[in-house]
Amino acid sequence: MTTSHESENLMAAIRQGRVRVGPRARAVALILHGGRAVEPRPRRSRDVSYLRMLPFAPAVSRASRGSVAPVLVHNRDGGWIAPTGSGLAQTRQLVRRLADEHGLPVVLLGHSSGGWAALRCGDEEAVAGSVALAPWLDEQDPIDHLREKAVRVVHGQADTVCSPQRSRDFVERLRAAGGDATYQGVSGGHALLERPRRWHALAAQAVVEVAERG
């Protein structure tokens, strides 16, 4: 069992952005950047994995017309699969804090290792569902914990960092188990740089869909 002191130490690596919860808000979107760290990334301004996720927050706000309040966090350990700390424990703690503070369901939106964390932590009680962009997965990643949740996966077909086929297989396994899961393959690679506005729009639309389902 994690003590409150251990929990605070774990969360010391996380910088949490402001959550602007307006009167129309019905959910919070927790945005998790990628990064498979070999060293800490203390400066957000130099963390490319974090910077590429910045446009996703306003995209969610626009697409939801204020019904989903986005919050982008920065993990100074460098990512959610990091040599220091536990990315999954950090993600779960963030979800619980957001739910306690705002009393709203949470949608997890993550890229790469952030997508992996979004899928692995999607069974949290407060989570309505998970949206994973080019998630880092292997053949053994579990699916049973997501059978009662909404899962949306979008992956670039030319991705050579994280396997689009593994993402497709993950969704197919989850659907076979009775889960509400979809896979969308798009052109482009791992960095979300080809037609970035399309990525922003697809992700925001998926977040809104998951929030409305929940």
Side-chain angles (χ1 to χ4, degrees):
M1 181 175 180
T2 303
T3 67
S4 58
H5 179 68
E6 290 170 337
S7 177
E8 289 303 318
N9 286 342
L10 190 67
M11 296 307 291
I14 304 294
R15 291 190 180 101
Q16 182 174 318
R18 182 180 299 177
V19 189
R20 296 178 175 86
V21 178
R24 301 183 62 184
R26 298 293 179 268
V28 174
L30 174 57
I31 303 175
L32 306 169
H33 61 82
R36 191 176 181 185
V38 294
E39 61 184 14
R41 303 285 185 182
R43 296 183 63 175
R44 285 178 292 188
S45 61
R46 294 187 178 181
D47 189 339
V48 174
S49 295
Y50 169 82
L51 295 174
R52 73 163 49 95
M53 300 308 290
L54 286 172
F56 286 89
V60 167
S61 293
R62 288 192 301 269
S64 69
R65 298 182 179 180
S67 66
V68 181
V71 56
L72 172 61
V73 296
H74 180 237
N75 190 334
R76 289 179 290 187
D77 283 343
W80 310 96
I81 305 171
T84 57
S86 168
L88 297 183
Q90 290 166 326
T91 302
R92 292 184 184 279
Q93 187 68 13
L94 283 166
V95 168
R96 294 167 189 173
R97 287 188 179 187
L98 288 170
D100 288 345
E101 290 171 6
H102 303 289
L104 296 172
V106 177
V107 180
L108 295 173
L109 168 60
H111 170 242
S112 193
S113 70
W116 169 79
L119 294 171
R120 289 295 294 268
C121 299
D123 59 335
E124 282 289 316
E125 183 178 358
V127 170
S130 303
V131 178
L133 311 177
W136 183 85
L137 295 170
D138 64 35
E139 296 90 342
Q140 305 304 318
D141 270 295
I143 52 93
D144 287 345
H145 65 296
L146 295 172
R147 284 188 294 178
E148 303 302 320
K149 306 288 186 174
V151 171
R152 305 290 179 261
V153 178
V154 185
H155 210 128
Q157 298 294 72
D159 191 340
T160 59
V161 177
C162 295
S163 168
Q165 186 58 51
R166 288 182 182 178
S167 286
R168 185 189 294 273
D169 291 345
F170 181 90
V171 168
E172 289 178 353
R173 287 193 291 125
L174 181 52
R175 287 175 62 85
D180 174 8
T182 64
Y183 172 86
Q184 183 170 359
V186 298
S187 61
H190 187 69
L192 314 182
L193 295 178
E194 183 174 321
R195 297 177 61 191
R197 291 183 181 179
R198 176 194 56 181
W199 282 101
H200 306 156
L202 288 173
Q205 182 180 19
V207 167
V208 172
E209 180 183 339
V210 168
E212 290 177 347
R213 176 192 181 277

